[in-house]
Amino acid sequence: MIVVVTGTGPAFDRLADEIARLSASDESFWMQFGQAEPRVGVNGAKFLAREELLIKMKQADAVISHGGCGSLLDAISAGHCPIVVPRLARFGEIVNDHQLELAEQLVAEEKALLARDIAEVEKLIPIAKNRKLSDEHISEEKALVAALRSEIREAANRSFAKKNPLLYLMGFLLAWLPVRRHKGLGK
């Protein structure tokens, strides 16, 4: 089974349509549709609790994901070299191409495969199925998640002094999120 993640943002119809097309092949897909309407012939759900999605990722043969950092870090933590289909500004899917920039960096680090064109997804599936990440890659991602949490907490603390309630709230929530939710991933 191949798990496909579109994120929680606006509908990612370009990816959903391609998976619907590919579902006619011998591949089995499970898709988190997000804001997109479910496609005929594609199993999945609009949204799924993160813990349940992580279980699906760990059980998957491969992961295809939008370029959101949370989804990509989860796929990598689950031991996958995900196929990244970034939302692109030229299609009006996002305001800038930060997802493409992140995907390019992960490709340079050999932690992801990039579908620059939607038609490339089909060719990348066999590669993704055969390319699993090492424990070293997974440990690096866990360290990155911890470092990001620390930076957000520090920014929130600085913002509190400047009366920025949104960043303060983010820092407060991150301080209470259990780091152990990443425990055991990728094993």
Side-chain angles (χ1 to χ4, degrees):
M1 172 186 62
I2 299 170
V3 169
V4 183
V5 182
T6 67
T8 60
F12 196 5
D13 290 320
R14 187 167 54 98
L15 179 55
D17 290 343
E18 180 63 7
I19 298 306
R21 186 187 75 76
L22 292 174
S23 69
S25 70
D26 293 335
E27 295 292 348
S28 172
F29 293 93
W30 184 93
M31 185 168 188
Q32 177 266 317
F33 290 98
Q35 299 294 336
E37 288 301 315
R39 300 312 200 255
V40 174
V42 181
N43 292 322
K46 298 277 273 174
F47 296 101
L48 197 63
R50 182 172 178 269
E51 292 75 20
E52 293 176 65
L53 187 56
L54 288 170
I55 290 168
K56 285 206 173 289
M57 284 184 178
K58 286 179 71 173
Q59 295 170 343
D61 298 318
V63 173
I64 300 170
S65 179
H66 71 120
C69 63
S71 298
L72 293 175
L73 288 174
D74 285 344
I76 291 167
S77 293
H80 292 285
C81 184
I83 298 170
V84 185
V85 181
R87 294 173 188 264
L88 298 172
R90 74 175 181 254
F91 296 125
E93 298 165 335
I94 201 161
V95 295
N96 60 37
D97 285 332
H98 69 276
Q99 288 193 358
L100 176 61
E101 293 168 6
L102 174 60
E104 288 171 336
Q105 181 60 42
L106 290 172
V107 168
E109 295 173 11
E110 299 180 349
K111 295 178 183 174
L113 302 167
L114 174 59
R116 290 186 180 278
D117 183 272
I118 198 71
E120 294 175 352
V121 170
E122 185 173 16
K123 293 179 240 169
L124 291 172
I125 288 172
I127 298 168
K129 284 178 151 183
N130 291 311
R131 186 178 297 175
K132 300 301 176 200
L133 296 178
S134 69
D135 286 340
E136 178 182 322
H137 283 115
I138 295 166
S139 295
E140 289 173 9
E141 297 314 310
K142 287 179 183 177
L144 176 60
V145 168
L148 286 171
R149 280 196 179 140
S150 176
E151 286 297 318
I152 291 171
R153 273 190 223 115
E154 287 179 27
N157 288 335
R158 288 189 302 270
S159 295
F160 179 64
K162 296 177 182 174
K163 307 281 190 239
N164 186 331
L166 180 60
L167 280 177
Y168 175 73
L169 179 61
M170 286 174 56
F172 177 78
L173 291 173
L174 284 171
W176 290 100
L177 286 175
V179 175
R180 70 180 182 275
R181 72 179 179 191
H182 288 285
K183 186 178 180 183
L185 290 179
K187 292 184 182 178

